[in-house]
Amino acid sequence: MNYGNIKKYDIADGPGVRVSLFVSGCRHHCKGCFNAETWDFGYGQPFTSETEAEILDALAPDYIQGFTALGGEPFEPENQPVVAALMKKIREHYPDKDIWCYTGYLYDVDLMPGGRVFTDVTREMLSTIDVLVDGEFIEAEKDISLQFRGSRNQRIISLHSPSPSAALSRPAAER
């Protein structure tokens, strides 16, 4: 897996100060994407054990609230094994820090058994994530007043509530 960027002091992609990993590779190709260069699976640098150590070190300070994976697309089948292993290691080293993940895929459709990107590590990956922001960015639904989302169709889903489906943040059009 390649990655495009690591932000060690990110305040835009989840609450508090975060460490964010922008993975490379995305098949959504959303019109108006803010990070189109990461669509290419070969963009950026290879993710190595040194990269993992850099992320773990960056998460150490108490003022860092958590980790965010975005991209590109963390849930592309090619990216899932590396991202899942990283998230598992983050959870082991920093159990009190939260993990957010952004995906253009839909949680209750694409990431479930039988879904188009469900793999042998999808469940493991989902089990480490506290909050999932799902849905493709839709330029016609863009709303800069939304917190932690780019377009109204995207949902913020708490995966550690008693019932994740009950915790779906419905798009404004459905309210």
Side-chain angles (χ1 to χ4, degrees):
M1 179 184 88
N2 280 10
Y3 70 97
N5 193 12
I6 297 169
K7 288 188 179 179
K8 295 182 180 172
Y9 307 101
D10 186 0
I11 58 169
D13 299 308
V17 181
R18 317 186 65 72
V19 175
S20 294
L21 172 67
F22 293 78
V23 304
S24 294
C26 182
R27 293 184 175 92
H28 300 293
H29 296 192
C30 301
K31 183 180 178 186
C33 174
F34 81 100
N35 212 8
E37 63 273 7
T38 63
W39 294 352
D40 180 353
F41 283 87
Y43 175 77
Q45 306 170 59
F47 188 93
T48 64
S49 57
E50 290 79 15
T51 311
E52 180 180 275
E54 179 183 350
I55 290 169
L56 291 172
D57 287 346
L59 284 163
D62 289 341
Y63 61 83
I64 299 291
Q65 181 168 331
F67 173 77
T68 299
L70 60 168
E73 174 58 69
F75 276 98
E76 291 295 3
E78 298 89 332
N79 293 338
Q80 285 187 43
V82 174
V83 176
L86 173 63
M87 288 178 170
K88 182 178 179 184
K89 202 162 269 191
I90 291 168
R91 183 64 65 213
E92 290 167 357
H93 282 78
Y94 303 107
D96 295 332
K97 298 201 186 253
D98 61 24
I99 296 177
W100 279 50
C101 186
Y102 285 75
T103 180
Y105 292 107
L106 296 176
Y107 169 71
D108 46 352
V109 176
D110 302 311
L111 304 180
M112 294 292 113
R116 65 182 168 151
V117 293
F118 185 84
T119 72
D120 59 340
V121 296
T122 305
R123 273 192 187 102
E124 179 182 350
M125 193 166 153
L126 288 169
S127 75
T128 63
I129 296 169
D130 295 295
V131 176
L132 183 73
V133 181
D134 82 342
E136 291 186 1
F137 171 76
I138 298 175
E139 195 168 42
E141 297 284 320
K142 182 178 179 177
D143 184 343
I144 62 170
S145 72
L146 297 172
Q147 189 173 35
F148 308 130
R149 298 182 289 157
S151 58
R152 288 184 297 276
N153 62 295
Q154 294 173 313
R155 304 179 295 181
I156 298 174
I157 305 167
S158 173
L159 295 183
H160 289 156
S161 68
S163 169
S165 61
L168 296 176
S169 172
R170 292 176 301 175
E174 295 177 12
R175 284 185 220 144

